[in-house]
Amino acid sequence: MPDLKKSIAYLYLQQTALERETLYNRPHPDIAPAEPFKRYPSSPKLLLPRRWDGEETNFWKLLQRRRSHRNFSTESMELTELSLLLWAAQGITGQAGSYYFRTAPSAGALYPVETYVVAVDVEGAEPGLYHFDIRGFQLEQLRSGRLEGELVAASLGQGMIRNSAAVFVWTAVLRRTMSKYGHRGLRYIFLDAGHICQNLLLAAEALGLGACPVAAFFDRELNSLLGVDGEEETAIYMAVVGRKN
Ligand SMILES: Cc1cc2nc3c(=O)[nH]c(=O)nc-3n(C[C@H](O)[C@H](O)[C@H](O)COP(=O)(O)O)c2cc1C
């Protein structure tokens, strides 16, 4: 397929393939690292509940049952549920020196992915945009008010968002991973995001909620909704969560 071979995607894969002969002397771009955690110090904080008294669920049944749900009832989500979803996606589960290990694996333990939540209908969280402060296990409120309209428009008109309870938006701070792995690091960033999203999807299923991954969005519009520049940090993935209808 000559057309495939001319594509930017194919060239990227070719040029970022590891080769035995050049493993230690391949050209490596000089990319400065970035802070491992993002914080919004002046934003209002919403502490997330850490307790969970719900029932245990069978992991194998969860795998069998998980399906993408796009049809939600208008019932709200509890803050405890949102808290569990965030913990499943990116919660800290261990520490070694300056490394904070998470529920989802990350290439080089560099954790390039940041989580933002648009609260549509969450009891105990005003509608608006929040950033997940992973170490503080709290939400940092960045915008208040209804953002569903903007989000639907930014995601190519995906109307399921209107009846959802919360929308997760994941960004990548590219330098965190690319400073170590160069151009190949971009592959790892997307793999990291996949792990995080799958954790969220399974956690949603465990809570009896419905969820759908979303990658169809207008990148610039979504970045502007989040207030990120699209260069140092850029939106890469989303998931819509709500009560199944
Ligand atoms: C990377 C990725 C991007 C996706 N983007 C969208 C999307 O933008 N909108 C949507 O409705 N579903 C999206 N999906 C969901 C797929 O359509 C769904 O996973 C697929 O049809 C298989 O169905 P299942 O998830 O129920 O097993 C996406 C899934 C993945 C993995």
Side-chain angles (χ1 to χ4, degrees):
M1 277 175 58
D3 51 342
L4 173 69
K5 289 187 177 169
K6 282 186 199 143
S7 74
I8 194 167
Y10 182 84
L11 292 175
Y12 173 74
L13 288 176
Q14 291 301 306
Q15 290 178 23
T16 57
L18 291 184
E19 309 282 359
R20 198 173 291 278
E21 300 73 31
T22 54
L23 189 58
Y24 298 110
N25 61 358
R26 44 206 307 273
H28 194 289
D30 191 15
I31 298 172
E35 287 295 314
F37 288 96
K38 191 164 186 204
R39 292 287 315 277
Y40 291 86
S42 58
S43 69
K45 306 289 186 278
L46 175 62
L47 266 181
L48 291 162
R50 289 175 186 259
R51 277 187 59 227
W52 170 240
D53 303 322
E55 60 188 71
E56 296 289 322
T57 34
N58 181 300
F59 179 70
W60 309 109
K61 287 188 182 152
L62 280 184
L63 288 180
Q64 174 65 45
R65 284 206 310 257
R66 187 215 59 80
R67 196 88 290 145
S68 291
H69 288 272
R70 301 174 181 83
N71 197 357
F72 304 113
S73 78
T74 50
E75 227 184 305
S76 60
M77 179 193 285
E78 292 166 17
L79 193 58
T80 318
E81 292 171 315
L82 180 60
S83 169
L84 286 163
L85 294 174
L86 286 163
W87 184 81
Q90 289 208 293
I92 291 174
T93 51
Q95 195 186 347
S98 60
Y99 289 100
Y100 289 84
F101 297 113
R102 317 267 172 93
T103 48
S106 173
L110 291 167
Y111 306 104
V113 177
E114 293 286 329
T115 298
Y116 295 80
V117 176
V118 173
V120 178
D121 194 358
V122 181
E123 269 175 51
E126 193 193 341
L129 172 69
Y130 298 81
H131 169 256
F132 178 36
D133 166 18
I134 298 172
R135 270 191 308 187
F137 203 63
Q138 59 187 353
L139 288 173
E140 302 176 306
Q141 188 167 11
L142 307 181
R143 289 176 67 180
S144 63
R146 307 230 68 97
L147 299 173
E148 300 90 275
E150 267 182 69
L151 206 48
V152 169
S155 61
L156 279 66
Q158 301 200 52
M160 63 172 142
I161 289 169
R162 290 194 193 283
N163 282 345
S164 72
V167 180
F168 288 67
V169 186
W170 289 289
T171 66
V173 177
L174 301 172
R175 286 176 188 277
R176 285 191 195 147
T177 300
M178 292 181 69
S179 59
K180 176 166 184 186
Y181 296 110
H183 297 303
R184 187 177 172 85
L186 191 60
R187 299 181 184 219
Y188 299 161
I189 289 171
F190 288 106
L191 294 172
D192 275 23
H195 295 301
I196 289 167
C197 185
Q198 179 72 353
N199 275 10
L200 174 94
L201 300 177
L202 291 175
E205 188 58 50
L207 293 168
L209 298 166
C212 182
V214 167
F217 49 78
F218 296 114
D219 303 62
R220 286 187 189 87
E221 286 182 29
L222 191 55
N223 285 331
S224 131
L225 190 156
L226 298 175
V228 300
D229 64 6
E231 292 174 10
E232 292 290 326
E233 180 180 1
T234 190
I236 54 172
Y237 208 9
M238 293 169 56
V240 182
V241 187
R243 296 231 171 264
K244 293 177 191 170
N245 207 1

